[in-house]
Amino acid sequence: MFRSRSKDEKASAQQVTADLSKNPRDPEAPKGRPTPKRSEAQTQRRRAQSAPMDRKEATKRQREARRADLVRQREALNSGDERFLPARDKGPVRRFARDFVDSRFAVAEFFLPVAVVILVLSLFGNRAPRLQDIALILWAVLIVLIVLDSIGTWIRLRKQLDTRFPNEPKRGAIPYALMRSLQMRRLRLPKPQVKRGERP
């Protein structure tokens, strides 16, 4: 029962093993694990190839990868490429919100130039009090117009989002659009993809 195997038994076992290794696996036979996606397989291969030897090398590679990501993100902000946009700008809801704001004039986008004019007028307030009064009136009118225009944008955009994207999450899309409307059109990022008056 506890005797060692004979030489013949050992030889036959080795022959069976050799035969098994020579014969390829039947392609129809299940392999016992799911086939990985191509992206996962490529990621694993890259990790295996680019495994850093020490911490200094790992830090250097992380820095280079971060720099490449930032370059891609900057290009995407200029071109509107959805793949490399920051998370806050991604998705069809945010894209529609951007296009909705970019397709129309907003009072808020003139806030900065008018604020500069008001500041210049107020500087001469000591010499000409009338100019200071005009500056104050302009300031009050601008604030009221921005508030009214923002409320109108809020209502119209909310209605459009509910109609076009009933099943998509819309959280934060309206404040995102209102913040965009405060910026001058040339300075907006991602760059506007629609012309004024063009329907999004």
Side-chain angles (χ1 to χ4, degrees):
M1 184 169 77
F2 295 106
R3 65 186 176 81
S4 62
R5 293 195 298 177
S6 65
K7 289 180 182 177
D8 295 337
E9 288 176 354
K10 284 182 184 175
S12 64
Q14 286 174 356
Q15 188 177 1
V16 169
T17 310
D19 290 342
L20 285 172
S21 63
K22 284 178 188 174
N23 294 335
R25 186 177 65 81
D26 181 13
E28 298 295 322
K31 61 185 176 212
R33 61 181 171 79
T35 304
K37 290 181 182 175
R38 178 179 287 180
S39 59
E40 291 173 5
Q42 286 174 347
T43 305
Q44 288 173 356
R45 254 198 313 269
R46 273 195 221 109
R47 281 181 189 159
Q49 288 172 358
S50 62
M53 300 302 292
D54 58 356
R55 186 181 292 175
K56 193 174 181 181
E57 182 70 19
T59 308
K60 184 180 176 184
R61 288 190 184 182
Q62 282 178 353
R63 200 180 305 119
E64 287 172 0
R66 201 177 306 121
R67 195 175 295 131
D69 286 344
L70 285 172
V71 169
R72 273 201 304 266
Q73 201 175 87
R74 200 174 302 118
E75 288 171 359
L77 287 170
N78 286 324
S79 65
D81 189 353
E82 284 274 339
R83 293 173 299 165
F84 304 114
L85 285 176
R88 71 184 173 91
D89 298 312
K90 278 187 179 177
V93 173
R94 296 293 171 106
R95 184 180 183 87
F96 179 79
R98 286 197 303 272
D99 291 347
F100 184 86
V101 169
D102 295 337
S103 66
R104 55 192 292 279
F105 280 99
V107 178
E109 69 184 278
F110 301 108
F111 172 78
L112 198 59
V114 175
V116 171
V117 171
I118 290 169
L119 181 65
V120 170
L121 287 175
S122 63
L123 288 175
F124 298 102
N126 293 336
R127 295 178 187 174
R130 189 154 188 169
L131 283 178
Q132 197 165 18
D133 293 340
I134 291 169
L136 286 172
I137 291 167
L138 267 176
W139 188 253
V141 168
L142 180 66
I143 296 296
V144 169
L145 287 175
I146 287 173
V147 169
L148 291 175
D149 189 48
S150 298
I151 291 169
T153 303
W154 183 293
I155 293 166
R156 284 192 297 273
L157 180 57
R158 186 171 167 184
K159 196 180 291 183
Q160 291 278 341
L161 289 174
D162 288 340
T163 305
R164 291 181 185 233
F165 307 99
N167 301 321
E168 293 277 342
K170 296 177 278 291
R171 185 177 179 185
I174 295 174
Y176 171 78
L178 292 178
M179 287 301 294
R180 187 173 176 84
S181 72
L182 280 167
Q183 299 167 338
M184 294 174 70
R185 187 181 168 88
R186 288 181 186 178
L187 304 178
R188 291 174 185 169
L189 288 174
K191 294 281 185 190
Q193 302 295 312
V194 294
K195 295 178 181 176
R196 290 196 196 272
E198 186 181 335
R199 282 192 174 184

